[in-house]
Amino acid sequence: MSDVIRGSGRRAARKRADVLAAACSVVAERGADGTRFADVTAATGVGVSTLQYYFGSREDMLIAVFRFAAQSDFDAVGERLAAVADPWERLVVIAEHLTGAVGSDTGWRLWVESWRWALRDPELRAEVLGDYTRWHELLAGIIAAGVAAGRFGTGAAPMDVARQALALIDGLALPVALGDPQVTGAMAGDLLTDALGRLVGLRDGGR
């Protein structure tokens, strides 16, 4: 393959990724059911025919948005974790990110929309459940490392604790995504940090 062809392919991939990033904001604001090709065209300047070329149908575009958002969320957390060694601090990074204490709640709005679609779409449902598996495995690995390092005192299986931790994150982040004035992102992050410390049996006064 020539350098020209490879370069063209990379530019096309970047353009598609740029469109998906902009479409994420559109879907978060309008909801999946209310998003049309024309709405994404208005936000990006990319013509409807090009969107159809990139994605096929409107439904395929929405699923691509959900997958792009999920991967972007996971990647963003991974980048932040790369600079953090302490197991407790790593848990806090994840908690802050997923409850919306860091950044906007666009990701959570998209998560809620993807859950709705996953109820009706078996293929998307499998992918969403796969996302949960990735988060569970990430959390379980951190919890196991914390126990091994003496930072955490829980005697429960790391995967069980990970499932409980993610359930806490879901429960506290959903009101933030819904705009509950009584549960801000920062408040949810504080509540979650306290609950996670109890859940893992945090030692050494780390909170």
Side-chain angles (χ1 to χ4, degrees), residues 139-140 143 154-167 196 199-200:
L139 288 164
I143 292 162
T154 179
M159 184 57 76
D160 289 344
V161 180
R163 291 191 175 99
Q164 293 171 322
L166 198 56
L196 285 177
L199 185 62
V200 302

Side-chain angles (χ1 to χ4, degrees), residues 61-109:
M61 178 185 69
L62 291 170
I63 291 173
V65 166
F66 296 145
R67 303 314 308 143
F68 178 84
Q71 186 63 51
S72 296
D73 220 21
F74 197 80
D75 290 345
V77 168
E79 289 177 6
R80 295 189 65 203
L81 290 178
V84 180
D86 178 67
W88 172 244
E89 294 302 324
R90 288 168 68 83
L91 282 185
V92 171
V93 164
I94 295 172
E96 287 181 342
H97 183 89
L98 293 183
T99 55
V102 175
S104 71
D105 63 353
T106 295
W108 258 96
R109 289 175 180 270

Side-chain angles (χ1 to χ4, degrees), residues 23 64 70 88 100 134 147-148 161 192:
W88 172 244
R134 288 200 300 174
V147 171
V161 180
L192 182 57

Side-chain angles (χ1 to χ4, degrees), residues 2 4 12 17 39 42 47 49 58 61 74 84 99 104 115 117 119 136 141 148 150 152 158 169 175 194 204:
S2 71
V4 172
D39 302 311
S49 61
R58 183 187 77 95
M61 178 185 69
F74 197 80
V84 180
T99 55
S104 71
W115 289 340
W117 276 65
L119 288 171
H136 287 143
F152 304 154
I169 290 169
D194 180 69
D204 300 329

Side-chain angles (χ1 to χ4, degrees), residues 130-189:
D131 292 332
Y132 266 95
T133 296
R134 288 200 300 174
W135 286 110
H136 287 143
E137 290 174 348
L138 175 62
L139 288 164
I142 294 171
I143 292 162
V147 171
R151 288 288 274 140
F152 304 154
T154 179
M159 184 57 76
D160 289 344
V161 180
R163 291 191 175 99
Q164 293 171 322
L166 198 56
L168 282 170
I169 290 169
D170 282 352
L172 283 167
L174 187 57
V176 178
L178 293 173
D180 185 345
Q182 299 185 56
V183 186
T184 65
M187 182 187 301

